[in-house]
Amino acid sequence: MPTHYRTCNLCEAMCGLEIQYEGTTVQTIKGDKNDPLSRGHICPKAVGLKDIYEDPDRLKQPVRRRENGWEVISWEEAYTEVVENIQRIQHQHGKNAVGAYLGNPNAHNVGSILFGRNLLKTLASQNIFSATSADQLPHHYVSTLLFGHMMAIPIPDIDRTDFFLIIGGNPMVSNGSLMTAPDFPKRLRAIQKRGGKVVVIDPRRTETADKADQYIGIKPGHDVLLLLGMLHHLIEKEQVNLRHLEPLIVNLDTIKEIVAPYSSERVATPLGIKASKIRELATEFCSAKSAVCYGRLGVSTQQFGGLCQWLIYLLNMLSGNLDRAGGAMFTQPAFDVMGLGKSTRLNRWKSRVRGLPEFGGELPCVTMAEEMLTEGEGQIKAMFTVAGNPVLSTANGKQLEQAFEQLDFMVSIDIYINETTKFANIILPPATGLETGQYDVIFHQLAIRNTAKYSPPLFEKSDDQRYDWEILQTLAQRLKGEEASLMSPEMVLDFTLQSSPYQLSLAQLKEQPHGVDLGAMNPCLENRLKTKEKTINLAPNELVADLKRVEQSFFNASSPSEYPLYLISRRQLRSNNSWMHNSYRLVKGPKRCTVLIHPNDAKNHQIEHGQAVNVISSKGQIQLPAEVSDEMLEGVVCIPHGWGHAREGVQLQVAKAHAGTSINDLTDEYLIDELTGNTAFSGVRVQLEAISQS
Ligand SMILES: Nc1nc2c(c(=O)[nH]1)N[C@H]1C(S)=C(S)[C@@H](COP(=O)(O)OP(=O)(O)OC[C@H]3O[C@@H](n4cnc5c(=O)[nH]c(N)nc54)[C@H](O)[C@@H]3O)O[C@H]1N2
Ligand SMILES: Nc1nc2c(c(=O)[nH]1)N[C@H]1C(S)=C(S)[C@@H](COP(=O)(O)OP(=O)(O)OC[C@H]3O[C@@H](n4cnc5c(=O)[nH]c(N)nc54)[C@H](O)[C@@H]3O)O[C@H]1N2
Ligand code: SF4
Ligand SMILES: [Mo]
């Protein structure tokens, strides 16, 4: 049977796959043992690639919404209708009247990464949104202020570290994020085998915490206090050790001043973690041979996301662990996105209704619905959604449904008729997954080891299908009235790879189907620093000023809330955000869309394991089964995101039969990190109500 090797494009882990197939049928999908990064690891989602390829609900031709249902139309008809409507609305209401939302799969798609910007440039709208501001915007923000580029994100060197401090990440399930680390379970064990230590800080004793050496429970949104307390101890004990960063560092004295009020004793009370424990953690971190603090989704999607990432960068820098083996390091990928553009720009405009700041050409996605619903000049009248499902993925999805419903025109580039795309007038479906060529432009940049790999399409797309990049290019060209360009992603890839220091070519990569190993990360800070002055300002004004919110939130008396519990989210091994629940083998088994409740909270509310409960926030309420579990910190409940497929008009047969409910019907578009505008999914206040069993 013929065998095909490729990289899985579903999550950030970039696992190498070995696929056996006959004709156009996939027989088996296994891990590729010869992939230098993933070394044979895969997760249960990999077989989802076969299910997506074969999915009868997947769209292959454009469709138009009519009063009595969807009709298949030709590409020509679809493009013409889209271009006419977008131009009509631009002429009537101006460029800002056309908005766009870009979802997560764009980051996994080489064509969309290389060609998607052309459409955005053509639209020239200030109303561009993406999943970035429901996810990792705080990382980009802090990287821009400290290192001069949104992609200058230091990656934990977990293959060499002696102390791995994980705050708000669950890589045993997520397989790592802003840390492409396939085969995380083995890599974690390897740290322990070589005598290192892994510590997890999380409101839930997660799958990662279970495998760690130490777990510390924390109240959602309180991490900023822990980090300030740790830095305070580090500075007080004169453990600052800048090593080779010394000549580059500016404003260390300011850091000493601003951290001074946050002794472990002072932060301990609002934080709910003993002062001695905070000091111990700081001491262990500083005295380890090498150490790295890694903060991910749980400390990004919360009210102090920007501050948390800043303090984490500081902890790594001041303890001498930035740009050093076993610490936080910069990658040197063969395709270097930092080499392409200018340094990142921010704050060039503000959102019209709420005045939240732009970052890298985008506005926070929490402002999207209000920009559609609030009348006045600059109101959004038409939207593109590209590989995104914001109705399930962004805060207050119900409001977004109302907003999409009343648009003048909407286009979705997507493979499904789902909770978001059902509102589109026209859906343009791309070829996807096994039908595409792949080079992970973004995730090689964020990987714990430098490697390069190109995967050709396994199956040819049909003549009547289009790639994402072809759709994006065609729309951009027709909106501009230009001739079609002859460039393809492969051409850009080849050119860029050849001009990299590794001097690779696409042809060479094609000869190495398992990928090419370019070695461990190396110290390279001076090359990666993109600030104008070539220095690192430890204390940018924006970040320093934001500390006043810490004082207001934690050190002023607050009144008790009518919503006594905190809500957080969770990821599940067999889910991928909102869009893979149409694969039967990924959804079968016991119901997974449950609310986890600590036994004491369950007792207080007279809730039994398995009982249906209402979870209520100021934005709405949802009903789901309770799962009583001591893995929760008392006072915190937890619901997975990406469920809620029972909405009318969704054409996903399997997902509808395993619908669940959407956590984002509870989350609040006004609960944000005010500094960056990132959504705060963590820490939404809720109450529970047992539903009596009849
Ligand atoms: N409460 C809560 N909400 C969250 C999170 C959380 O932890 N808690 N996590 C947040 C995070 S980290 C993220 S990244 C966002 C994700 O938010 P989104 O990116 O908006 O949502 P996805 O579920 O990834 O939706 C992906 C869409 O792309 C389509 N698609 C899949 N493959 C392709 C393709 O090849 N081409 C095209 N054009 N379309 C394709 C799918 O059908 C689906 O409609 O959700 C965020 N929302
Ligand atoms: N199986 C699977 N894998 C995925 C995805 C998926 O949907 N399914 N999605 C992919 C995407 S888009 C992303 S961005 C990555 C994300 O990858 P991770 O960052 O690992 O994300 P999560 O697994 O959501 O882990 C976040 C953790 O933060 C904790 N947390 C919540 N609030 C707080 C808080 O206030 N403080 C602290 N300290 N912790 C908190 C949660 O309990 C959770 O354990 O995963 C990717 N991988
Ligand atoms: S961990 Fe991610 S990249 Fe690896 S097989 Fe699973 S979904 Fe694919
Ligand atoms: Mo994400």
Side-chain angles (χ1 to χ4, degrees):
M1 220 183 292
T3 305
H4 168 84
Y5 297 98
R6 71 185 292 106
T7 304
C8 176
N9 65 306
L10 294 172
C11 87
E12 299 179 37
M14 292 199 299
C15 295
L17 306 179
E18 183 185 294
I19 304 179
Q20 293 202 306
Y21 63 101
E22 252 171 19
T24 55
T25 307
V26 171
Q27 298 294 353
T28 60
I29 299 184
K30 293 191 198 136
D32 175 3
K33 292 193 183 67
N34 295 318
D35 182 293
L37 189 63
S38 66
R39 313 177 302 199
H41 175 82
I42 50 167
C43 85
K45 285 186 298 301
V47 293
L49 284 171
K50 171 180 163 73
D51 300 340
I52 296 163
Y53 179 67
E54 294 172 354
D55 191 343
D57 287 331
R58 178 158 70 98
L59 299 174
K60 301 221 171 114
Q61 280 169 290
V63 290
R64 171 163 54 206
R65 185 162 47 83
R66 287 287 190 209
E67 244 150 56
N68 53 356
W70 294 89
E71 64 178 359
V72 174
I73 55 174
S74 72
W75 284 98
E76 194 48 43
E77 211 177 338
Y79 284 139
T80 306
E81 190 163 328
V82 170
V83 169
E84 272 175 16
N85 278 285
I86 296 300
Q87 286 178 336
R88 170 180 61 82
I89 290 165
Q90 285 175 328
H91 285 142
Q92 267 174 6
H93 303 285
K95 296 268 178 167
N96 291 341
V98 178
Y101 172 85
L102 312 177
N104 168 278
N106 285 298
H108 299 265
N109 184 318
V110 58
S112 309
I113 290 290
L114 298 181
F115 288 73
R117 289 278 139 192
N118 295 350
L119 177 63
L120 297 184
K121 256 199 204 147
T122 310
L123 292 180
S125 168
Q126 296 190 340
N127 287 316
I128 306 299
F129 313 90
S130 82
T132 289
S133 50
D135 185 347
Q136 79 287 1
L137 177 55
H139 294 255
H140 294 314
Y141 186 92
V142 176
S143 285
T144 301
L145 294 187
L146 265 63
F147 307 130
H149 198 289
M150 65 181 274
M151 290 303 287
I153 295 175
I155 308 300
D157 183 17
I158 62 172
D159 285 349
R160 289 180 290 188
T161 197
D162 299 287
F163 194 97
F164 188 23
L165 175 57
I166 305 175
I167 313 186
N170 187 13
M172 284 296 289
V173 169
S174 70
N175 285 290
S177 179
L178 304 186
M179 173 182 77
T180 288
D183 200 8
F184 183 81
K186 223 180 262 161
R187 295 190 137 103
L188 185 147
R189 269 200 309 278
I191 298 175
Q192 295 166 326
K193 270 194 198 151
R194 60 179 181 262
K197 184 168 178 181
V198 180
V199 181
V200 169
I201 296 176
D202 203 293
R204 178 165 81 89
R205 203 183 62 241
T206 59
E207 296 79 353
T208 307
D210 272 343
K211 301 285 178 207
D213 301 277
Q214 189 182 358
Y215 163 66
I216 303 175
I218 192 165
K219 286 186 271 183
H222 286 57
D223 308 79
V224 62
L225 296 172
L226 174 71
L227 290 161
L228 283 166
M230 285 178 72
L231 271 173
H232 182 279
H233 189 65
L234 185 154
I235 290 169
E236 191 184 59
K237 293 288 162 201
E238 296 184 353
Q239 295 285 314
V240 175
N241 172 14
L242 294 175
R243 297 186 318 105
H244 67 302
L245 270 52
E246 182 102 50
L248 303 172
I249 294 287
V250 181
N251 272 338
L252 177 60
D253 287 342
T254 315
I255 298 297
K256 291 183 176 169
E257 262 166 52
I258 59 178
V259 166
Y262 300 100
S263 67
S264 48
E265 274 78 16
R266 181 159 181 258
V267 298
T269 310
L271 175 59
I273 296 174
K274 277 197 193 130
S276 58
K277 215 172 191 177
I278 302 171
R279 291 195 297 265
E280 214 175 280
L281 189 60
T283 306
E284 273 192 81
F285 189 85
C286 295
S287 46
K289 260 192 293 174
S290 67
V292 61
C293 178
Y294 162 74
R296 211 17 222 123
L297 199 83
V299 280
S300 291
T301 56
Q302 56 142 290
Q303 281 177 280
F304 298 98
L307 284 182
C308 283
Q309 294 308 334
W310 175 43
L311 297 170
I312 288 169
Y313 285 18
L314 287 178
L315 199 58
N316 287 329
M317 282 192 274
L318 302 197
S319 63
N321 282 298
L322 184 79
D323 196 38
R324 167 198 190 194
M329 304 189 80
F330 294 97
T331 58
Q332 291 171 296
F335 189 112
D336 185 6
V337 292
M338 278 169 63
L340 296 180
K342 310 176 197 101
S343 60
T344 313
R345 290 187 284 174
L346 67 168
N347 227 336
R348 285 170 294 171
W349 61 85
K350 292 203 181 320
S351 71
R352 177 183 62 112
V353 177
R354 210 192 302 179
L356 290 185
E358 168 262 355
F359 180 94
E362 295 178 7
L363 288 170
C365 62
V366 288
T367 65
M368 186 160 53
E370 69 200 20
E371 292 299 334
M372 288 182 240
L373 291 167
T374 313
E375 285 178 21
E377 209 186 308
Q379 180 186 5
I380 300 177
K381 303 277 188 182
M383 277 294 288
F384 283 89
T385 69
V386 186
N389 191 4
V391 166
L392 294 190
S393 300
T394 64
N396 197 356
K398 291 260 182 220
Q399 184 199 31
L400 197 59
E401 285 183 311
Q402 288 165 16
F404 283 147
E405 176 108 61
Q406 53 79 60
L407 283 175
D408 185 338
F409 193 72
M410 175 165 159
V411 194
S412 292
I413 304 181
D414 207 288
I415 56 177
Y416 289 124
I417 299 175
N418 65 18
E419 299 75 13
T420 296
T421 62
K422 70 175 204 184
F423 293 103
N425 296 82
I426 291 198
I427 305 177
L428 304 167
T432 188
L434 301 178
E435 297 157 346
T436 62
Q438 178 62 353
Y439 179 97
D440 274 287
V441 170
I442 299 295
F443 300 106
H444 281 305
Q445 192 100 23
L446 302 170
I448 56 160
R449 190 174 179 86
N450 294 309
T451 61
K453 180 165 162 186
Y454 174 77
S455 317
L458 167 55
F459 302 128
E460 288 302 315
K461 67 173 180 59
S462 73
D463 286 346
D464 207 28
Q465 281 181 291
R466 301 285 180 276
Y467 295 120
D468 271 289
W469 67 269
E470 290 179 301
I471 301 171
L472 294 162
Q473 270 302 71
T474 307
L475 288 173
Q477 279 152 359
R478 294 201 181 190
L479 283 165
K480 265 194 291 195
E482 280 179 2
E483 290 293 299
S485 133
L486 296 173
M487 291 289 272
S488 71
E490 274 76 11
M491 289 157 87
V492 179
L493 207 53
D494 189 37
F495 175 80
T496 316
L497 287 170
Q498 292 204 40
S499 42
S500 90
Y502 302 104
Q503 295 183 332
L504 288 165
S505 69
L506 195 57
Q508 277 172 313
L509 285 189
K510 283 181 177 168
E511 280 168 23
Q512 310 255 12
H514 308 289
V516 180
D517 190 11
L518 304 171
M521 291 184 283
N522 280 313
C524 60
L525 173 64
E526 284 192 54
N527 300 331
R528 304 313 265 161
L529 200 55
K530 302 285 174 191
T531 52
K532 258 193 241 119
E533 305 76 11
K534 287 278 167 202
T535 56
I536 303 171
N537 176 8
L538 294 182
N541 295 337
E542 297 87 331
L543 292 163
V544 174
D546 200 37
L547 280 168
K548 60 172 191 301
R549 284 198 299 132
V550 173
E551 286 298 316
Q552 287 156 3
S553 299
F554 299 109
F555 298 100
N556 283 334
S558 63
S559 46
S561 165
E562 63 176 299
Y563 300 100
L565 301 168
Y566 289 107
L567 172 67
I568 62 169
S569 316
R570 72 178 180 277
R571 285 182 155 64
Q572 299 173 315
L573 206 51
R574 287 185 292 131
S575 287
N576 194 28
N577 297 327
S578 75
W579 67 278
M580 285 184 66
H581 295 144
N582 214 38
S583 157
Y584 177 68
R585 57 181 138 195
L586 294 185
V587 288
K588 68 180 184 202
K591 272 194 186 152
R592 301 210 303 268
C593 187
T594 61
V595 52
L596 295 178
I597 308 172
H598 186 274
N600 293 349
D601 294 321
K603 209 160 112 208
N604 290 341
H605 290 82
Q606 277 139 24
I607 292 168
E608 307 265 329
H609 190 81
Q611 187 177 351
V613 295
N614 277 325
V615 184
I616 306 159
S617 77
S618 66
K619 291 290 162 174
Q621 78 176 55
I622 62 173
Q623 195 185 4
L624 67 177
E627 209 176 319
V628 178
S629 165
D630 67 3
E631 68 191 43
M632 292 313 300
L633 190 74
E634 206 174 327
V636 186
V637 297
C638 177
I639 299 174
H641 81 286
W643 297 88
H645 309 295
R647 288 157 136 97
E648 211 187 307
V650 170
Q651 299 198 8
L652 300 163
Q653 294 170 53
V654 179
K656 277 191 100 143
H658 300 80
T661 41
S662 176
I663 185 178
N664 286 324
D665 292 348
L666 299 173
T667 53
D668 181 350
E669 79 281 16
Y670 272 84
L671 191 73
I672 60 171
D673 171 19
E674 281 168 29
L675 177 66
T676 62
N678 202 69
T679 315
F681 292 119
S682 294
V684 173
R685 304 305 294 253
V686 294
Q687 50 170 294
L688 298 179
E689 193 179 76
I691 296 172
S692 55
Q693 284 152 318
S694 52

